[in-house]
């Protein structure tokens, strides 16, 4: 057992301490967080827009929303990332992480749109009728009455989408970004050790998601308390 722990400590030192390789993981955490935060913001904006299209009575808007949702949900995220990076933004000199965030935001928007649509449709129609009886038009009723209530209903699902998005960003190495996963792969290829880099990468993702889950849970509890009051 002592020999096993000694070997484990040696592997840890080789993987993370020697040549300051832990700095790659720290930098990778920063890349993952930046891409995820920007992507989720883009995804929410696109998601709300596509949800409105899907619920619209306008056939053109509804068709646009349907095609977008079907195409994005029906193709792999890694393929979307590579098309957006190597084709759509091939001639654009933007930082790689911004283009990656846009790609993930576009992907996330399709799933967020379904979450938003379901949340809005879950609100009792009486709320809409009450708004109209107060003299509010359709847009004012939607923005002032329906959506604020829907947000409380869809918040847990949006949180889950954010968590899934963080894990999906592990493929940004395909476009040359050094995120957490790519840093772990680099350490693995440099040291010819697989166990420690893989476990280290998994632990980092777990801790990040655990912290995020606890933070979002507190926000959700605050929303519930305000709703009760």
């Amino acid at each position: 057992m002592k020999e096993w722990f000694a070997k484990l400590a040696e592997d840890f030192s080789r993987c993370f301490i020697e040549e300051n390789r832990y700095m790659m993981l720290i930098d990778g955490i920063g890349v993952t967080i930046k891409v995820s935060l920007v992507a989720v913001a883009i995804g929410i904006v696109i998601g709300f827009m596509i949800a409105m299209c899907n619920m619209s009575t306008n056939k053109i808007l509804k068709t646009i929303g349907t095609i977008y949702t079907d195409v994005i949900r029906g193709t792999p995220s890694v393929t979307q990332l590579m098309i957006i990076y190597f084709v759509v933004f091939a001639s654009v000199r933007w930082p790689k992480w911004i283009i990656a965030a846009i790609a993930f935001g576009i992907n996330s928007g399709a799933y967020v749109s379904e979450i938003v649509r379901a949340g809005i449709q879950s609100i009792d129609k009486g709320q809409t009728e009450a708004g109209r009886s107060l003299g509010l038009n359709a847009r004012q009723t939607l923005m002032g009455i329906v959506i604020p209530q829907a947000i409380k209903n869809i918040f847990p699902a949006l949180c889950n989408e954010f968590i899934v998005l963080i894990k999906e960003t592990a493929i940004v190495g395909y476009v040359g970004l050094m995120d957490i996963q790519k840093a772990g792969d680099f350490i693995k290829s440099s040291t010819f050790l697989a166990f420690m880099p893989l476990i280290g990468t998994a632990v980092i993702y777990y801790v990040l998601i655990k912290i995020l889950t606890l933070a979002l849970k507190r926000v959700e509890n605050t929303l519930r308390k305000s709703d009760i009051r």
Side-chain angles (χ1 to χ4, degrees):
M1 184 65 71
K2 289 182 179 180
E3 292 180 357
W4 186 82
F5 278 110
K7 181 64 167 59
L8 202 64
E10 181 184 348
D11 289 350
F12 181 89
S13 179
R14 282 185 59 191
C15 290
F16 306 124
I17 307 302
E18 291 181 9
E19 300 181 14
N20 294 326
R21 291 194 181 97
Y22 67 90
M23 290 301 300
M24 288 189 291
L25 289 171
I26 293 176
D27 292 341
I29 292 172
V31 170
T32 296
I33 291 175
K34 285 193 301 184
V35 172
S36 299
L37 288 176
V38 175
V40 76
I42 294 172
I44 289 173
V45 172
I46 293 177
F48 269 90
M49 293 172 59
I50 297 301
M52 295 301 104
C53 289
N54 287 335
M55 293 188 295
S56 175
T57 55
N58 186 301
K59 291 185 178 180
I60 295 177
L61 291 177
K62 194 173 184 66
T63 300
I64 291 173
T66 300
I67 292 174
Y68 171 85
T69 304
D70 287 347
V71 170
I72 296 299
R73 295 177 68 185
T75 55
S77 55
V78 65
T79 304
Q80 296 166 19
L81 172 64
M82 295 178 75
I83 290 174
I84 291 172
Y85 185 86
F86 292 109
V87 180
V88 178
F89 286 90
S91 60
V92 179
R93 295 184 178 180
W94 288 359
K96 292 181 179 181
W97 74 267
I98 291 179
I99 299 175
I102 292 173
F104 285 111
I106 292 173
N107 176 272
S108 180
Y111 298 93
V112 171
S113 68
E114 291 300 291
I115 294 171
V116 172
R117 181 185 60 79
I120 291 176
Q121 292 178 343
S122 70
I123 302 302
D124 190 273
K125 291 184 178 180
Q127 298 292 321
T128 301
E129 295 171 357
R132 300 305 292 271
S133 68
L134 293 174
L136 302 177
N137 59 34
R139 185 185 63 82
Q140 291 171 328
T141 302
L142 180 66
M143 300 302 295
I145 297 178
V146 177
I147 288 182
Q149 294 182 62
I151 287 176
K152 295 178 181 179
N153 293 340
I154 67 178
F155 188 77
L158 287 177
C159 293
N160 184 64
E161 172 61 22
F162 189 16
I163 291 170
V164 170
L165 183 61
I166 290 177
K167 291 184 287 187
E168 284 190 347
T169 60
I171 63 174
V172 295
Y174 280 97
V175 296
L177 276 172
M178 184 70 78
D179 69 321
I180 298 170
Q181 184 63 52
K182 190 66 175 179
D185 290 343
F186 185 85
I187 292 172
K188 183 174 62 175
S189 62
S190 299
T191 60
F192 300 101
L193 296 172
F195 176 78
M196 190 60 67
L198 290 173
I199 292 298
T201 300
V203 168
I204 291 173
Y205 274 112
Y206 176 81
V207 171
L208 276 179
I209 291 172
K210 192 66 176 179
I211 292 173
L212 176 64
T213 301
L214 292 174
L216 292 175
K217 193 66 177 179
R218 296 191 69 172
V219 175
E220 182 183 349
N221 290 337
T222 300
L223 288 174
R224 286 180 178 178
K225 290 179 181 178
S226 64
D227 188 36
I228 293 174
R229 294 174 184 175

